[in-house]
Amino acid sequence: KPPTADCTMAGQRLDLSNLSPSADTPEKQVKQELLDTERKYNKSLTMFVAVLDRFQNQKIIPTPTLDAVNPIRDIRNHSQVLLSRMEEAVKNTPVVQADFGPALMLIRTVTLVYKKYVERFENLATIFRQHEKELPAVSEAMKDLKVKAATELPGVDVSLASLLIMPIQRLPRYKDLFERIVQKSPRHKSDDFKQAMASLCEQIEKMESTIGEVRQVKRTGRMRHRRGSLINREVDCETTLDGSALRVKYTRPASPMSRKPATPREKVVALSHVRSFSREKNRRVLHVHYVPEDGKKDEEKKTITLIAADEAEANAWEADIAKSISAGSIT
């Protein structure tokens, strides 16, 4: 018999009327993930727009380039509306009980803006990378942004390359979260909502396909190879991106203790298992965090540490991987 609001235990009357749904339900997890990631996404976009305003006011970057990146402003404005609607939905209601349907339906109105940005992305990334190398004012603005982000967005990479690719990466994340909300939330199982989300996910897939097939990209550098529990060695490596996997070839150093010779090795990480990137303070070192094939989602993470010749090369390495992930519809 299901419990009522009045129950007794050991002679004591218990009031169950105020108990909230379990905090660990899949429905709450996916809704909270959407809300939390949208907050971080919106704050990053707002910071980027402030930088673009600085470029425009100080006439640092040519007007045609700034006009081409203008969809970022519309994307930021849409994200603000989406976020405010979701926060309104949870204002006086537990997240698990919130109806995100009206908020999510809004995103259909911004697909054309995202489409424009996706089509321009490759050229924009190349142009901005060149400006960052050649124009000291651009580098100075990005340094100021990193100082601000250190307190407002700790742990978030706000390099120019990361900011430019952010909307591209958000599209497959939206698709994944929308599909999970339809699957996990009884409140979003109406035929109209499911059809709308299916249509939206289809549009997102088409936009991603406009990025084009990822060409096989090869880069050389160094990586950290761990032997035993204490020793990290740097070894030469070659990475290859083929659109489905990151392949890292290296030579495992010889072991004087066990007399094992140096042996060629290869790590292969499916792009669908890459979860995040991070950079060390010197900006040359890129950590690629991934989940092993037999890992339980994000519970077990491993890391490949790549070391580029300089920060610009590390930016290019990171952009290659991020672009491959986006084109492969990976969350």
Side-chain angles (χ1 to χ4, degrees):
K1 183 178 179 179
T4 62
D6 292 325
C7 291
T8 58
M9 179 178 289
Q12 298 293 319
R13 185 179 293 269
L14 301 178
D15 182 7
L16 304 182
S17 59
N18 293 322
L19 288 182
S20 60
S22 169
D24 297 320
T25 62
E27 180 181 0
K28 182 180 186 298
Q29 289 174 353
V30 67
K31 286 181 177 178
Q32 192 66 55
E33 182 180 349
L34 175 59
L35 189 58
D36 292 344
T37 56
E38 193 65 32
R39 285 170 177 154
K40 190 176 292 187
Y41 177 54
N42 184 260
K43 185 168 280 191
S44 301
L45 286 171
T46 299
M47 286 185 174
F48 191 22
V49 168
V51 170
L52 295 177
D53 289 341
R54 178 172 170 176
F55 291 161
Q56 188 171 31
N57 295 336
Q58 298 179 11
K59 298 182 179 179
I60 295 172
I61 288 179
T63 301
T65 302
L66 290 173
D67 288 343
V69 82
N70 257 339
I72 282 283
R73 301 177 191 277
D74 295 327
I75 289 171
R76 188 277 308 266
N77 293 341
H78 171 270
S79 174
Q80 284 181 334
V81 175
L82 175 63
L83 182 58
S84 65
R85 295 286 180 89
M86 289 194 294
E87 289 183 332
E88 185 67 28
V90 300
K91 189 174 182 180
N92 299 309
T93 308
V95 172
V96 72
Q97 295 177 355
D99 182 4
F100 280 4
L104 298 187
M105 298 292 265
L106 286 172
I107 201 169
R108 292 183 299 175
T109 63
V110 82
T111 50
L112 288 178
V113 179
Y114 268 99
K115 188 173 186 294
K116 283 181 183 178
Y117 188 75
V118 167
E119 290 169 347
R120 300 172 183 179
F121 167 71
E122 288 192 58
N123 287 336
L124 281 172
T126 302
I127 292 169
F128 271 94
R129 195 177 298 136
Q130 194 68 24
H131 287 330
E132 192 172 23
K133 284 182 181 179
E134 298 176 354
L135 302 175
V138 174
S139 299
E140 185 180 338
M142 296 312 299
K143 286 178 182 176
D144 292 344
L145 176 62
K146 288 170 187 175
V147 172
K148 182 179 180 182
T151 55
E152 296 188 23
L153 283 171
V156 175
D157 184 2
V158 290
S159 65
L160 197 48
S162 296
L163 290 171
L164 284 167
I165 203 168
M166 192 167 43
I168 307 291
Q169 293 175 316
R170 188 63 179 162
L171 283 171
R173 188 70 176 271
Y174 276 143
K175 178 175 173 289
D176 172 64
L177 290 167
F178 296 163
E179 288 175 340
R180 284 165 57 196
I181 281 178
V182 170
Q183 181 185 6
K184 304 294 185 184
S185 174
R187 296 165 185 80
H188 301 87
K189 287 188 178 293
S190 71
D191 290 340
D192 288 345
F193 184 80
K194 286 194 288 187
Q195 288 175 8
M197 289 300 104
S199 173
L200 179 59
C201 291
E202 185 179 345
Q203 291 179 52
I204 290 174
E205 286 179 0
K206 287 179 180 177
M207 276 188 276
E208 291 168 338
S209 68
T210 64
I211 299 175
E213 291 186 5
V214 179
R215 296 180 297 278
Q216 191 175 81
V217 179
K218 288 190 177 183
R219 291 191 179 276
T220 57
R222 296 177 70 78
M223 68 174 288
R224 285 188 191 151
H225 170 70
R226 187 181 183 111
R227 179 183 285 282
S229 59
L230 298 176
I231 302 175
N232 274 311
R233 294 185 180 180
E234 289 189 15
V235 296
D236 292 333
C237 72
E238 177 187 86
T239 63
T240 303
L241 283 164
D242 60 10
S244 63
L246 168 65
R247 304 173 187 275
V248 184
K249 291 183 179 180
Y250 64 100
T251 299
R252 181 176 178 175
S255 171
M257 298 291 291
S258 61
R259 298 183 181 180
K260 289 182 179 179
T263 52
R265 291 292 181 93
E266 182 179 35
K267 287 181 180 286
V268 180
V269 179
L271 292 178
S272 58
H273 286 67
V274 175
R275 286 294 174 264
S276 60
F277 310 104
S278 62
R279 300 279 282 275
E280 288 189 4
K281 288 182 180 179
N282 63 19
R283 307 299 301 159
R284 290 177 46 235
V285 180
L286 170 65
H287 300 290
V288 182
H289 309 290
Y290 68 97
V291 180
E293 297 283 347
D294 56 351
K296 294 182 179 179
K297 206 172 181 184
D298 288 352
E299 292 177 10
E300 180 189 358
K301 282 186 179 178
K302 294 193 174 183
T303 302
I304 292 178
T305 299
L306 304 173
I307 306 166
D310 52 37
E311 183 179 346
E313 184 68 14
N315 288 339
W317 220 339
E318 181 176 4
D320 287 340
I321 297 172
K323 178 184 171 186
S324 300
I325 291 173
S326 301
S329 301
I330 306 305
T331 56

